Amino acid sequence: RFKPMKIWKDEYKAQKELIEEEIEADNTPSPDADTSTLEKLGFYTEDNKYWFATQSGFVEGTNFVIEPLFHIYSMTNNRRLIRITNEYEYTMLCDVPSDAMVSVDKFQNFLFSEGNYLVFINNNQFKKLLRYIGEKFPKCFEIKTFGWQPEGFWAWADGAFNGKWTPVDEMGIMHHSGKNYFSPAFSDVYSQLRQDDDVYENDRRFVCRTSNITLQQWADLMQRVYKQGNNGQYAIAYLAAALFRSEIYNLYKIFPHLFLHGEKGSGKSQMAWSLSNVFQQGTPPFNLSAGTDVAFFRWLARYRDVIIWYDEYTDNVDEKRFQALKSAYDGVGREKGKMSRDSRTESDKINSAAVISGQHLPQRDDNSLYTRSVVRFFIKPKNGYGKQETKDYDTLKRVEENGLSQVVHTLLDQRHIVTKKFGRVFSDMFEYYKEKLVEKEVQVEDRILRNYTILAAMVWLFQNETSVDLRLNPEFFRDLCLQDAIEQNEKVSSSDALGTFWKMLGGLIQEGKLTMTDYDLQEKWHEKKTFKRDGDKDTEQINFEKETWVLYLDFDRAYQKYMEAHRMIFGTTGLGLQTMMDYTHNHWSYLGLKGSHHFAAGNGKRTSAHMFNYTELVEKRVMPDFKGILSGEDFDSEETDNSWMEEDKKPDAEQSELNLNNQPESFKNRL
């Protein structure tokens, strides 16, 4: 529009070329720039930016630089630990999923959520940058299970112990034998999280806290505070065994629970706190009637050779959790299917020892959890606690607040001896116990005996094979464990499903609800039993070494009345008929089936009868002695303890005293 046009065009062209020359001069690397990557990879670093070479010159690729720190290697959660610094000198550590660094878009999405970090290059240029930093990541492994590590050290959340203490650095890295291990809870990557967003809150409790008190001083204090029933001694022994749970489990594929039972205010929870506080100060127990299933399993899997506390046990806990507590004894975790097209599964491993507390004994499922536990009882003192007892308790709690990690370290220093010698000590102790049981003419269930043998063997090993003093007398504790194993076995025998059946049978006879039309007692030198051989009936002679009382039982009638009584007393049905028959037929007192027996009191009733050695049932106090009634003597009701029925019955169930004196004269005369 303005003449002459050529002058305007020439001037525009000259000005444009001048500006482009100035821009190109500005983007040329300065003497301070790092150009070591320019010739090979096509970019250089300057002013906390990456500059990339293009056909039109150098262009800004990012407004930050990356310092590669560690490659956190994992099959399921592979990550890179980097430090990024932007053009304004703002720096932060980032824990970046590896798959978020494979493309510009994913990396940009992650970085911008952390702050003012921008990427301007395309994928091809970005791959050149990855090529440069990718080889600068040393490999490390995340600590996913705290406590004892297979590589031979103990991992707290804030450091490693292997004879000496090594804390984590600012990045949360601990070093052991030339390898690197990552603890997210104490990395600066997560130091700025709000408490509500802190996914590592529980891990921050599992830290090394040492004080001046020695293992011996702590052990003395535990025994003074928890002296009732020698519970303090069991606490010390269980702690020592729990620290080597993985070694013990590898040998025997079991590890017992410690079950603390007693009324409210009796001290059971305080002892559980004392054991838990050795590892995690102030960590509340997992409430078995609350908490999620996921959290329940993760507690046992998150820590190895550590004591985990489960509180508020009752026989009404969720079936999944009850079965999980049972299977934890055998080291069996929860199986989970993987989101894949094949049939692969993964499981939550059981790595920890469990302390369980509650006001109710675990009698569910035929005492299955009871026999998997070392059970300790607590009774509330009638006159409260004395001045010295209160003082010792307060001292113990102050010690726990100051830290007891040195107790763990002292015991861990002996791991090489435990690994080498525990198997032999356990075998010797187990054989010693079996010989003693033969001498005492007592039988103890193998599982219960092994539970107590583990604790006794651990104490014996420390006191006789190491330089560490647990402040326990090994001979006294050995005999104490055997005595308590026998006592626990007797309680199991009297409270299991079959024991309950025999007790209820005796009670029904005393009440007159099971009469001599349903059972019979006769003294015999020999008897015949009926059985099937190759599909045909056959008989076999039973000869007794001495004149023996035989109990003949109309099992169908007796079982029907047992079920009625069980529903009335417990509010639940008893064992099924076939299960009860299997139990009784495999009982040591079972003699066999008599094809036809005459029940005289039943007006000539003749039917098959199941025969039991009544003499042994009485001698082993499984059933009351009713033989005196048959000979016209008075029945001594004091010999029969039926308090179990009073204790276990429902509050709204009305039931009379189960003894003969409360029965009508017609019943006495009939017997």
Side-chain angles (χ1 to χ4, degrees):
R1 294 171 54 189
F2 300 94
K3 307 296 183 181
M5 182 173 60
K6 184 176 183 304
I7 298 176
W8 286 93
K9 288 184 177 181
D10 290 343
E11 184 63 22
Y12 173 79
K13 182 178 180 182
Q15 292 292 339
K16 181 180 179 182
E17 290 176 353
L18 179 63
I19 291 173
E20 288 177 350
E21 290 175 1
E22 292 176 352
I23 292 175
E24 185 176 349
D26 288 341
N27 290 346
T28 302
S30 71
D32 297 329
D34 178 7
T35 59
S36 60
T37 57
L38 184 56
E39 183 176 350
K40 182 178 180 180
L41 299 173
F43 70 88
Y44 70 92
T45 306
E46 186 176 7
D47 298 330
N48 291 336
K49 299 178 183 179
Y50 294 114
W51 297 85
F52 283 79
T54 65
Q55 292 181 352
S56 58
F58 291 99
V59 297
E60 182 181 3
T62 66
N63 72 337
F64 60 86
V65 292
I66 300 173
E67 179 186 355
L69 298 174
F70 288 98
H71 174 198
I72 305 169
Y73 184 78
S74 171
M75 294 293 291
T76 57
N77 190 18
N78 206 294
R79 298 165 1 249
R80 310 282 170 149
L81 193 62
I82 63 175
R83 179 183 282 112
I84 52 177
T85 305
N86 71 2
E87 58 187 320
Y88 303 109
E89 300 292 338
Y90 185 79
T91 300
M92 71 179 301
L93 287 172
C94 288
D95 184 358
V96 189
S98 292
D99 59 5
M101 294 186 68
V102 298
S103 70
V104 172
D105 291 339
K106 290 183 177 181
F107 195 45
Q108 178 65 88
N109 290 340
F110 176 85
L111 290 181
F112 197 69
S113 66
E114 299 293 332
N116 182 23
Y117 305 103
L118 302 173
V119 184
F120 309 112
I121 52 179
N122 58 37
N123 275 322
N124 288 332
Q125 293 168 320
F126 183 65
K127 287 179 180 178
K128 293 180 180 179
L129 179 59
L130 289 183
R131 181 180 177 184
Y132 169 65
I133 66 174
E135 60 186 21
K136 298 181 181 296
F137 285 100
K139 184 179 290 187
C140 77
F141 302 91
E142 182 177 351
I143 301 292
K144 295 183 178 180
T145 302
F146 290 106
W148 184 252
Q149 305 300 308
E151 293 82 359
F153 69 98
W154 181 273
W156 299 99
D158 58 343
F161 176 81
N162 182 26
K164 65 177 182 178
W165 167 244
T166 305
V168 297
D169 59 23
E170 64 173 358
M171 293 174 287
I173 302 295
M174 60 182 78
H175 309 279
H176 173 75
S177 297
K179 293 185 178 181
N180 307 304
Y181 301 88
F182 179 53
S183 176
F186 283 87
S187 172
D188 285 352
V189 176
Y190 301 101
S191 61
Q192 299 179 3
L193 291 178
R194 292 184 68 250
Q195 185 175 0
D196 293 346
D197 297 325
D198 190 358
V199 294
Y200 300 107
E201 178 183 0
N202 289 331
D203 292 347
R204 298 183 203 281
R205 295 192 177 109
F206 191 77
V207 295
C208 180
R209 298 176 301 106
T210 58
S211 60
N212 294 327
I213 189 171
T214 65
L215 167 63
Q216 290 72 32
Q217 291 170 328
W218 172 79
D220 287 339
L221 196 53
M222 285 288 289
Q223 292 185 68
R224 292 202 302 271
V225 173
Y226 305 112
K227 60 185 178 182
Q228 180 189 106
N230 297 300
N231 288 332
Q233 295 196 31
Y234 275 100
I236 298 166
Y238 193 76
L239 173 67
L243 281 170
F244 306 101
R245 179 200 174 278
S246 56
E247 302 290 344
I248 296 171
Y249 178 77
N250 288 338
L251 288 172
Y252 307 111
K253 304 306 178 189
I254 62 167
F255 192 83
H257 305 317
L258 180 63
F259 197 99
L260 309 180
H261 165 66
E263 60 181 325
K264 183 178 180 181
S266 59
K268 63 183 185 301
S269 295
Q270 294 307 323
M271 193 169 99
W273 272 114
S274 293
L275 288 171
S276 177
N277 284 340
V278 172
F279 302 96
Q280 304 182 73
Q281 171 60 32
T283 299
F286 184 93
N287 191 314
L288 288 168
S289 60
T292 66
D293 289 339
V294 174
F296 174 85
F297 286 100
R298 285 182 178 174
W299 269 57
L300 284 171
R302 183 59 171 165
Y303 307 96
R304 182 181 289 110
D305 295 354
V306 172
I307 290 177
I308 300 299
W309 176 20
Y310 291 98
D311 195 20
E312 300 298 340
Y313 175 86
T314 70
D315 272 345
N316 294 322
V317 297
D318 181 77
E319 177 66 17
K320 289 182 180 179
R321 295 183 185 176
F322 177 77
Q323 294 299 331
L325 289 174
K326 284 174 51 182
S327 61
Y329 172 86
D330 302 298
V332 179
R334 178 181 59 167
E335 289 290 329
K336 299 179 296 183
K338 298 191 69 173
M339 295 294 291
S340 59
R341 295 183 179 181
D342 53 24
S343 302
R344 286 182 298 165
T345 62
E346 60 181 14
S347 61
D348 290 321
K349 296 181 180 179
I350 304 299
N351 295 315
S352 298
V355 170
I356 310 170
S357 59
Q359 298 182 37
H360 304 272
L361 279 174
Q363 296 180 319
R364 179 173 170 178
D365 194 16
D366 204 12
N367 294 290
S368 55
L369 183 58
Y370 189 71
T371 59
R372 287 169 167 82
S373 305
V374 172
V375 181
R376 304 312 306 153
F377 295 88
F378 292 77
I379 301 175
K380 188 175 182 180
K382 293 182 179 180
N383 300 322
Y385 297 98
K387 184 177 180 180
Q388 184 61 45
E389 293 173 320
T390 303
K391 182 179 179 181
D392 288 338
Y393 172 78
D394 292 339
T395 301
L396 177 60
K397 292 305 166 183
R398 285 196 301 270
V399 166
E400 292 171 4
E401 290 177 2
N402 294 333
L404 288 169
S405 298
Q406 70 277 5
V407 171
V408 175
H409 295 170
T410 302
L411 295 171
L412 286 176
D413 283 337
Q414 308 301 316
R415 194 175 191 97
H416 62 289
I417 298 179
V418 174
T419 302
K420 182 179 180 181
K421 298 184 177 182
F422 182 80
R424 173 182 58 80
V425 175
F426 178 90
S427 298
D428 293 345
M429 186 70 68
F430 195 66
E431 289 301 319
Y432 171 83
Y433 279 163
K434 289 198 291 187
E435 291 175 3
K436 286 295 182 182
L437 290 173
V438 171
E439 292 177 9
K440 296 175 180 288
E441 297 183 350
V442 175
Q443 291 183 342
V444 173
E445 186 175 332
D446 185 77
R447 180 186 289 166
I448 295 176
L449 189 61
R450 287 181 179 274
N451 295 343
Y452 282 89
T453 304
I454 286 173
L455 301 190
M458 187 60 68
V459 170
W460 188 273
L461 175 61
F462 266 96
Q463 297 303 113
N464 295 304
E465 305 280 356
T466 75
S467 58
V468 174
D469 182 11
L470 297 178
R471 311 295 285 178
L472 299 176
N473 183 309
E475 288 81 9
F476 174 82
F477 190 74
R478 175 194 63 192
D479 297 340
L480 177 66
C481 284
L482 180 59
Q483 174 186 331
D484 289 339
I486 294 172
E487 182 179 340
Q488 183 170 335
N489 188 80
E490 290 176 349
K491 292 178 179 177
V492 169
S493 300
S494 64
S495 63
D496 62 14
L498 190 54
T500 301
F501 174 77
W502 289 118
K503 285 183 177 180
M504 296 186 73
L505 215 62
L508 290 169
I509 291 174
Q510 293 175 61
E511 281 191 312
K513 295 181 178 179
L514 192 67
T515 69
M516 295 194 71
T517 61
D518 309 313
Y519 77 96
D520 189 16
L521 287 172
Q522 293 185 18
E523 202 168 12
K524 296 280 187 176
W525 279 99
H526 52 80
E527 184 56 275
K528 286 186 178 181
K529 66 177 180 180
T530 303
F531 62 95
K532 285 189 177 182
R533 176 179 293 164
D534 298 329
D536 298 324
K537 285 187 177 182
D538 200 352
T539 60
E540 181 179 317
Q541 181 89 358
I542 304 173
N543 297 311
F544 302 108
E545 296 180 356
K546 61 180 180 180
E547 201 166 13
T548 301
W549 283 89
V550 178
L551 169 65
Y552 301 87
L553 193 64
D554 183 343
F555 201 88
D556 290 339
R557 293 268 298 171
Y559 175 78
Q560 180 182 358
K561 294 180 179 180
Y562 150 79
M563 289 291 281
E564 293 173 357
H566 198 285
R567 279 191 293 268
M568 181 189 74
I569 296 172
F570 299 108
T572 60
T573 57
L575 289 181
L577 175 60
Q578 188 57 52
T579 302
M580 183 60 75
M581 291 186 71
D582 289 342
Y583 277 25
T584 53
H585 289 183
N586 287 286
H587 194 249
W588 45 263
S589 66
Y590 185 67
L591 299 175
L593 177 69
K594 187 173 182 180
S596 178
H597 180 75
H598 180 254
F599 289 86
N603 296 322
K605 169 184 171 182
R606 181 175 290 274
T607 184
S608 61
H610 293 268
M611 300 181 292
F612 298 88
N613 190 322
Y614 184 71
T615 298
E616 288 191 358
L617 288 171
V618 173
E619 288 176 352
K620 295 185 178 182
R621 304 182 66 83
V622 176
M623 286 194 73
D625 188 353
F626 295 110
K627 298 190 296 293
I629 299 177
L630 298 177
S631 60
E633 301 175 7
D634 291 334
F635 173 68
D636 185 2
S637 62
E638 293 182 359
E639 292 184 1
T640 305
D641 180 14
N642 290 301
S643 58
W644 65 278
M645 300 187 83
E646 286 296 321
E647 293 172 357
D648 292 337
K649 70 179 182 180
K650 287 183 173 291
D652 58 347
E654 296 182 1
Q655 184 181 5
S656 62
E657 293 274 332
L658 298 183
N659 57 58
L660 191 63
N661 295 329
N662 288 339
Q663 305 307 320
E665 287 297 325
S666 58
F667 170 60
K668 297 180 185 178
N669 295 335
R670 186 165 66 250
L671 291 181

